[in-house]
């Protein structure tokens, strides 16, 4: 839920533009002008997933708003999951995923839903066991397919659910994200980088699920601009290209080219990236 101190900032922005309460909640389900007024005046909370639509209705970018309220979404669970993944600690990944699923059952909130997707997605990558319930897949699919304003939450959620979605749906959402790229770039460097990585994650998942769709998506991704300070995505894109080529041709030269990128990462002391890319190469070789 969004706390009321954020509501005060929202109210200042709304009032400064002479936007009435009714216009601010236009086309937002289950959010009335009176409920918005209560939130703005420290009298109640509203669900996190309503904020994007509210900001769109008052013509404020998510990153601008985050800067104004001095907040950025950081969750220690995501750091725990990443550490367990890198350490190949499958038992820890399983425990984190199960605990998060239980937590969501008690707190029906989109933030907790997104974390369920993240933990289950990382666990699946290591085990190929899908423990993400179908009911939650449907909920998260609804969120991702209905959003018209991709913010940090939507971008990172998509990037961390790619292995759990059917290939056609995965491709459809990825194209939707690509079509929103001009807006995402306007939201700043961080969202730009995260969006590009999320698309590459989707491409990797499609290499395993549907190489033909992976090829179509990769063509679209290659038309996008990589941020000038984003060294990681450039390397990741090269890995993806080589793994897709290998998957389609079974020519070992593409594995060698991918391994050369791993060696380069090690030479510049980017060990986490090297480990991640090595894991992807290993997975492709196993299924081939």
């Amino acid at each position: 839920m969004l706390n009321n101190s954020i509501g005060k900032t929202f109210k200042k922005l709304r009032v400064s533009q002479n936007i009435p309460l009714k216009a601010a909640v236009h086309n937002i389900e289950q959010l009335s002008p009176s409920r918005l007024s209560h939130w703005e005046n420290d009298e109640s909370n509203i669900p996190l997933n309503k904020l994007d639509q509210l900001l769109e209705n008052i013509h404020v970018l998510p990153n601008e708003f985050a800067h104004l309220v001095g907040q950025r979404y950081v969750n220690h669970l995501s750091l725990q999951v990443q550490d367990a993944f890198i350490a190949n600690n499958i038992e820890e990944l399983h425990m984190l995923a199960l605990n998060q699923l239980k937590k969501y059952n008690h707190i029906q909130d989109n933030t907790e839903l997104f974390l369920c997707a993240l933990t289950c997605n990382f666990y699946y990558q290591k085990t190929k066991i899908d423990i993400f319930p179908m009911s939650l897949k449907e909920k998260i699919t609804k969120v991702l397919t209905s959003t018209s304003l991709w913010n940090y939450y939507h971008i990172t959620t998509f990037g961390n659910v790619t292995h759990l979605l059917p290939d056609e749906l995965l491709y459809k959402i990825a194209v939707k994200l690509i079509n929103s790229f001009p807006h995402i770039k306007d939201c700043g460097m961080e969202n730009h980088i995260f969006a590009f990585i999320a698309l590459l994650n989707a491409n990797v998942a499609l290499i395993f699920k549907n190489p033909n769709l992976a090829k179509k998506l990769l063509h679209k991704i290659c038309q996008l601009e990589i941020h000038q300070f984003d060294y990681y995505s450039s390397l990741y894109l090269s890995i993806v290209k080589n793994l897709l080529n290998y998957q389609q041709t079974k020519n070992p030269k593409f594995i060698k080219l991918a391994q050369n990128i791993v060696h380069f990462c090690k030479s510049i002391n980017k060990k986490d990236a090297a480990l991640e890319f090595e894991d992807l190469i290993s997975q492709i070789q196993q299924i081939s």
Side-chain angles (χ1 to χ4, degrees):
M1 302 292 284
L2 292 172
N3 64 42
N4 356 49
S5 61
I6 296 177
K8 289 182 177 180
T9 302
F10 181 88
K11 182 178 181 179
K12 289 179 181 178
L13 293 169
R14 179 182 63 77
V15 172
S16 69
Q17 299 180 77
N18 296 314
I19 297 175
L21 288 164
K22 187 175 181 179
V25 299
H26 179 64
N27 285 338
I28 303 178
E29 294 181 0
Q30 300 178 338
L31 190 59
S32 64
S34 62
R35 188 178 180 188
L36 177 60
S37 178
H38 287 153
W39 174 56
E40 290 183 339
N41 292 292
D42 289 355
E43 296 169 3
S44 69
N45 290 329
I46 63 169
L48 172 66
N49 62 325
K50 305 297 183 185
L51 181 58
D52 276 358
Q53 296 165 282
L54 285 168
L55 291 175
E56 184 176 19
N57 285 349
I58 66 167
H59 320 300
V60 175
L61 295 174
N63 266 31
E64 294 173 338
F65 189 73
H67 176 74
L68 289 171
V69 299
Q71 291 194 357
R72 183 192 180 283
Y73 179 70
V74 177
N75 189 282
H76 294 296
L77 175 62
S78 63
L79 299 179
Q80 287 179 281
V81 172
Q82 290 175 41
D83 288 343
F85 185 85
I86 292 171
N88 203 33
N89 191 336
I90 295 173
E91 184 177 345
E92 175 76 2
L93 285 172
H94 192 215
M95 182 197 72
L96 291 170
L98 292 179
N99 287 344
Q100 183 56 35
L101 288 168
K102 290 179 182 177
K103 184 175 181 180
Y104 177 73
N105 285 333
H106 294 288
I107 308 173
Q108 300 282 316
D109 180 86
N110 268 7
T111 301
E112 303 303 334
L113 174 61
F114 295 169
L115 290 171
C116 285
L118 180 146
T119 54
C120 291
N121 191 65
F122 272 83
Y123 178 69
Y124 177 85
Q125 288 183 69
K126 287 294 184 182
T127 65
K128 297 300 180 285
I129 299 172
D130 187 355
I131 60 173
F132 196 49
M134 182 58 68
S135 60
L136 299 193
K137 287 183 185 179
E138 292 172 354
K139 287 184 178 181
I140 212 159
T141 296
K142 183 178 180 181
V143 171
L144 294 175
T145 54
S146 63
T147 183
S148 59
L149 189 63
W150 286 82
N151 68 3
Y152 174 85
Y153 296 94
H154 295 101
I155 293 167
T156 54
T157 297
F158 176 61
N160 288 309
V161 76
T162 53
H163 289 275
L164 304 177
L165 298 178
D167 51 0
E168 294 283 351
L169 178 59
L170 180 59
Y171 177 79
K172 177 183 176 182
I173 297 174
V175 171
K176 183 178 174 69
L177 177 56
I178 288 172
N179 292 337
S180 300
F181 228 75
H183 161 75
I184 290 168
K185 287 174 61 180
D186 289 341
C187 289
M189 177 180 72
E190 188 174 49
N191 279 10
H192 185 173
I193 292 173
F194 284 146
F196 203 96
I197 292 172
L199 288 168
L200 291 176
N201 288 350
N203 217 135
V204 167
L206 286 174
I207 290 174
F208 291 103
K209 298 167 181 277
N210 190 326
N212 289 331
L213 276 183
K215 184 177 181 179
K216 286 179 62 178
L217 180 59
L218 183 60
H219 177 73
K220 292 179 180 294
I221 292 173
C222 288
Q223 310 307 309
L224 301 175
E225 179 186 354
I226 298 177
H227 195 279
Q228 60 178 326
F229 297 120
D230 184 11
Y231 85 90
Y232 173 82
S233 289
S234 297
L235 296 172
Y236 193 4
L237 178 59
S238 296
I239 287 284
V240 169
K241 288 178 179 177
N242 285 307
L243 294 185
L244 178 57
N245 283 331
Y246 176 72
Q247 181 74 327
Q248 294 187 309
T249 67
K250 300 301 183 279
N251 189 330
K253 78 174 184 180
F254 294 114
I255 292 295
K256 179 63 176 176
L257 289 171
Q259 290 171 336
N260 288 342
I261 297 170
V262 172
H263 296 323
F264 173 74
C265 290
K266 291 179 178 178
S267 72
I268 60 173
N269 203 32
K270 301 298 182 182
K271 296 179 181 178
D272 288 350
L275 287 171
E276 179 186 345
F277 296 156
E278 280 182 327
D279 188 59
L280 288 178
I281 293 169
S282 175
Q283 289 182 51
I284 287 292
Q285 289 178 304
Q286 287 174 19
I287 67 171
S288 299

